[in-house]
Amino acid sequence: MSLEMTYREALAKSIEEEMQKNPEVFIMGEDIGRYQGTFKVTRGFVEKFGSRSANYNYRILDTPITECGFTGIGIGAAMAGLRPIVEFMTMSFSILALDQIINHAAKVHYMTNGEVKCPIVFRGPGGAAKQLSAQHSHSMDGWYAHVPGLKVLCPATVADAYGMMKSAIADDNPVIFYENPGLYTVKGEIPDDINYTVPIGKAQILREGKDISLVGYSRMTQVHLAAAELLAKDGIDCEVVDVRSLLPLDTETIYNSVRKTHRAVVTYEDWRSGGFGAEIVSRIQEDCFDDLDAPVVRVGGLNVPMPYARNLELLCIPSEEDVVAAVHKIR
Amino acid sequence: MAKQAEYKITESAAELEEHLRDMLFIRLFEEKCNRVYREGKAGGYMHVYIGMEALAVGWMKAIRKGEDYVITAYRDHAHALLLGTPPEAVLGEVMGRKCGTAGGKGGSMHIYDPKNGFYGGWGIVGGHIPLGAGLAFAARYRGEDKVCINFMGDGAANQGVVFETLNMASLYDLPCVFVIENNEFAMGTRLEYHAADKELWKRGLPFDIRSERLDGMDVIQMKRQATEIVEWCRKEQRPAWIEIMTYRYSGHGAADNDRQLYRTKEEEELAWTRDPIARLRKQMTTLGYMTDEKYEAIEEELTNEVERIYEICDASPFPEADEVYDNIYSDMKPEMGH
């Protein structure tokens, strides 16, 4: 049995079920309660877990617009053993909380030599939505995937949004859960199983092919699937590798694909220079050099602050056409 | 400066002697840390509590040890010792040894002992303040009868995240006592040069938080007042913001060799007239609870104890190379190698 729904609905269902199962799981963030969330992931939660008239509801906690402070409160609660889910209205705002996430959450387990765990999920939309311009369109995935102590998940499909959120909530470590806003309305199926989980740190092959590996994550995996359709018309058989988890990174699945196809394009929405895709490229060339028939090519976001005008914005974000062009460069 | 009040001492001789021993042990322990650092057996940043002993002793005797949460910044040895962390685990951590609280991975600034309610041990000024509120939040969320004592220095009281946290602590009714250890200096910058208002205790008032300023150089008063505030916080389930006037006789950190850049020798000498240990010793002597002979015997006993602890730590190995990847995560290792 499976259920059809959107990526947004799958996230909501996953979080709600985990909150029902475990009273120590709660969610906090700006406008998530009475206002039901800016991107409406927590629609209806205030009635289910709190009350509209209460000053505050601990399980569905509306916070002031003070990211650094409320993130720290979530981390402290996690250190005491609660399992908070911290929503950032956009991941761009998590920049205000970097000190708490990087210098506190990611360090406490090491600095206590394992005495204090920090089971917390930081989630929210990351990357460009639509014309939100320079300050609201950051892809922070690569920034976080740089930090030992964090796990970074970037699901591309509805089933993964559902199953990986459950794994993130169950994890005893701080997890960054990346939701590209362009994915919220994507439809798909999830298993009708409230215990369904997707293991952290496992990439997947979403389309098998023999000519070239398209390696990506989050919305870029959807772009790869579309590009693979276009390329099939040119007789190029693409394998789509959905990385899903940046940290830990399942290099084995990526390498096995590259060893089969001998060519790879890596796509990421983040700025091209220094983005996480560059890390994937580096690892492929370092560990699979003898298997490669061509250089590994990066397709990244343009190295500019995100412009407002829609035509310029679309220019910045990697598209199917950009991927197709990159494939043609090496094949 | 809060004036030293006259009051009637009703505490027993045994209780006062315990206060004295606790304060003296911290001082001797910290003096040893300074020597260890100078000898090159400790490195990095190390901050000792010399002069501030009455503050931590008073507060740690006011709480339910092992139940209540305690969190502080990097001047953290005293809090751990008072909560019951084995001294060899504290000094071992300062010396980067395997016997340390974090097996040598944390160092002086990062002492933790969650089994005794101690949650560190944090290095970013003001950064741990929301964490302490989060610990209090967990207690409130679970309906537990716990409070969090959230220590910070006067420098931390300027950080933006502290104000964010005060707002939420009041908004969410968190049982959290914010304790400012005002030793008059944010590293090398005197209070009047870093705080526009100078009366830090007033900063809780706009958030509708109980706010007070107290003297931290008198252990008897400190303990009495801390006890009242902790129990009020527990009962009312409300935060408190308490500024404690104290003084560190040592430098900011072990590497601070230029105290004269921010204060005079005369000022330090004047501050020594408020030494909390000398004060309690005098009070006990007046009451007939203490003699010079007895004091010297206690001092010798504790000095020997500190030396014994040092010998244990010095014999403890450094962590093994293959431990470097341990406990970054609870269940995995990161990508390994250079």
Side-chain angles (χ1 to χ4, degrees), chain A residues 173-289:
Chain A
N173 303 280
V175 177
I176 306 285
F177 196 96
Y178 231 81
E179 304 156 13
N180 189 290
L183 292 171
Y184 281 134
T185 53
V186 167
K187 280 192 174 161
E189 291 189 339
I190 64 162
D192 187 11
D193 174 9
I194 64 163
N195 296 314
Y196 178 72
T197 57
V198 173
I200 289 172
K202 292 282 173 228
Q204 66 183 340
I205 307 296
L206 284 184
R207 177 188 173 117
E208 294 207 16
K210 59 179 177 13
D211 295 333
I212 188 164
S213 302
L214 305 181
V215 184
Y217 51 90
S218 193
R219 200 177 72 79
M220 290 302 118
T221 290
Q222 299 287 354
V223 169
H224 279 164
L225 289 168
E229 289 294 322
L230 295 174
L231 287 159
K233 290 176 193 153
D234 299 338
I236 299 173
D237 187 15
C238 299
E239 178 145 299
V240 175
V241 184
D242 179 21
V243 174
R244 295 200 282 191
S245 165
L246 308 194
L247 182 57
L249 182 66
D250 176 10
T251 49
E252 197 186 332
T253 300
I254 298 168
Y255 294 170
N256 285 342
S257 176
V258 172
R259 285 176 183 136
K260 186 174 85 174
T261 63
H262 310 294
R263 287 179 168 81
V265 167
V266 180
T267 307
Y268 49 108
E269 188 182 312
D270 197 2
W271 291 308
R272 177 177 157 88
S273 297
F276 192 75
E279 171 72 22
I280 298 175
V281 172
S282 172
R283 295 218 208 169
I284 294 173
Q285 71 81 20
E286 199 170 350
D287 294 334
C288 305
F289 188 75

Side-chain angles (χ1 to χ4, degrees), chain B residues 105-121:
Chain B
K105 286 174 174 174
S108 163
M109 296 190 285
H110 305 302
I111 309 286
Y112 297 82
D113 186 5
K115 286 182 192 71
N116 283 308
F118 189 48
Y119 282 76

Side-chain angles (χ1 to χ4, degrees), chain A residues 13-52:
Chain A
K13 182 170 157 62
S14 188
I15 294 167
E16 187 188 328
E17 286 167 359
E18 294 313 298
M19 285 177 68
Q20 297 285 10
K21 263 193 253 175
N22 184 352
E24 302 248 292
V25 177
F26 70 99
I27 186 162
M28 61 192 295
E30 295 155 358
D31 272 332
I32 62 161
R34 290 177 197 82
Y35 189 67
Q36 315 204 69
T38 302
F39 285 84
K40 304 299 172 198
V41 171
T42 52
R43 193 193 298 274
F45 275 43
V46 74
E47 279 76 21
K48 284 167 186 151
F49 296 104
S51 111
R52 198 157 268 281

Side-chain angles (χ1 to χ4, degrees), chain B residues 2-185:
Chain B
K3 276 180 78 175
Q4 291 187 335
E6 293 305 314
Y7 55 89
K8 187 168 162 54
I9 296 171
T10 51
E11 286 76 1
S12 72
E15 189 182 341
L16 296 179
E17 188 177 323
E18 200 182 302
H19 291 352
L20 187 73
R21 281 173 169 271
D22 283 347
M23 289 198 292
L24 194 53
F25 182 76
I26 293 167
R27 178 152 312 172
L28 295 168
F29 183 93
E30 298 286 54
E31 285 172 351
K32 183 67 186 177
C33 286
N34 273 339
R35 287 195 296 277
V36 163
Y37 192 92
R38 280 198 296 272
E39 288 161 10
K41 294 209 170 192
Y45 289 138
M46 187 188 78
H47 314 79
V48 298
Y49 211 72
I50 295 167
M52 299 163 65
E53 297 88 349
L55 198 164
V57 170
W59 283 89
M60 291 304 95
K61 287 193 184 303
I63 63 163
R64 297 179 187 164
K65 282 187 198 175
E67 285 181 41
D68 290 333
Y69 295 113
V70 178
I71 190 167
T72 188
Y74 40 73
R75 198 178 301 281
D76 58 353
H77 306 169
H79 308 78
L81 292 170
L82 291 165
L83 284 169
T85 308
E88 55 273 25
V90 179
L91 186 59
E93 195 56 43
V94 171
M95 294 171 70
R97 305 301 176 101
K98 220 167 172 165
C99 70
T101 43
K105 286 174 174 174
S108 163
M109 296 190 285
H110 305 302
I111 309 286
Y112 297 82
D113 186 5
K115 286 182 192 71
N116 283 308
F118 189 48
Y119 282 76
W122 295 89
I124 305 300
V125 171
H128 68 283
I129 297 303
L131 306 186
L135 294 166
F137 177 88
R140 188 88 161 100
Y141 183 97
R142 290 168 166 152
E144 291 171 327
D145 200 16
K146 294 179 179 183
V147 302
C148 177
I149 314 297
N150 202 340
F151 290 95
M152 74 190 90
D154 47 300
N158 294 318
Q159 281 279 23
V161 75
V162 173
F163 295 93
E164 294 183 19
T165 304
L166 284 180
N167 180 41
M168 282 180 279
S170 183
L171 193 64
Y172 301 148
D173 293 318
L174 301 184
C176 187
V177 185
F178 299 90
V179 178
I180 311 164
E181 300 175 326
N182 183 351
N183 61 27
E184 298 185 34
F185 298 93

Side-chain angles (χ1 to χ4, degrees), chain A residues 23-26 56 58-59 61-64 66-70 72-73 75-77 79-82 99-100 103-104 108-117 147-151 171-173 247-248 279 283, chain B residues 69 71 101-103 105-106 110 112 114-115 119 121-122 124 126-128 130-135 137-138 140-142 161 164-165 167-169 171-174 323-332 334-335:
Chain A
E24 302 248 292
V25 177
F26 70 99
Y56 48 79
Y58 286 131
R59 297 208 71 201
L61 189 69
D62 277 323
T63 66
T66 49
E67 288 81 5
C68 188
F70 74 67
I73 288 180
I75 295 165
M79 285 162 53
L82 294 179
D99 175 58
Q100 288 301 320
N103 234 336
H104 295 83
V108 65
H109 197 260
Y110 197 69
M111 294 200 303
T112 63
N113 211 16
E115 290 274 322
V116 179
K117 292 187 173 39
V147 181
L150 300 178
K151 296 186 181 182
D171 203 280
D172 276 339
N173 303 280
L247 182 57
E279 171 72 22
R283 295 218 208 169
Chain B
Y69 295 113
I71 190 167
T101 43
K105 286 174 174 174
H110 305 302
Y112 297 82
K115 286 182 192 71
Y119 282 76
W122 295 89
I124 305 300
H128 68 283
L131 306 186
L135 294 166
F137 177 88
R140 188 88 161 100
Y141 183 97
R142 290 168 166 152
V161 75
E164 294 183 19
T165 304
N167 180 41
M168 282 180 279
L171 193 64
Y172 301 148
D173 293 318
L174 301 184
E323 289 174 48
V324 72
Y325 291 114
D326 292 349
N327 288 315
I328 298 169
Y329 298 93
S330 66
D331 57 355
M332 60 172 254
E335 188 203 13

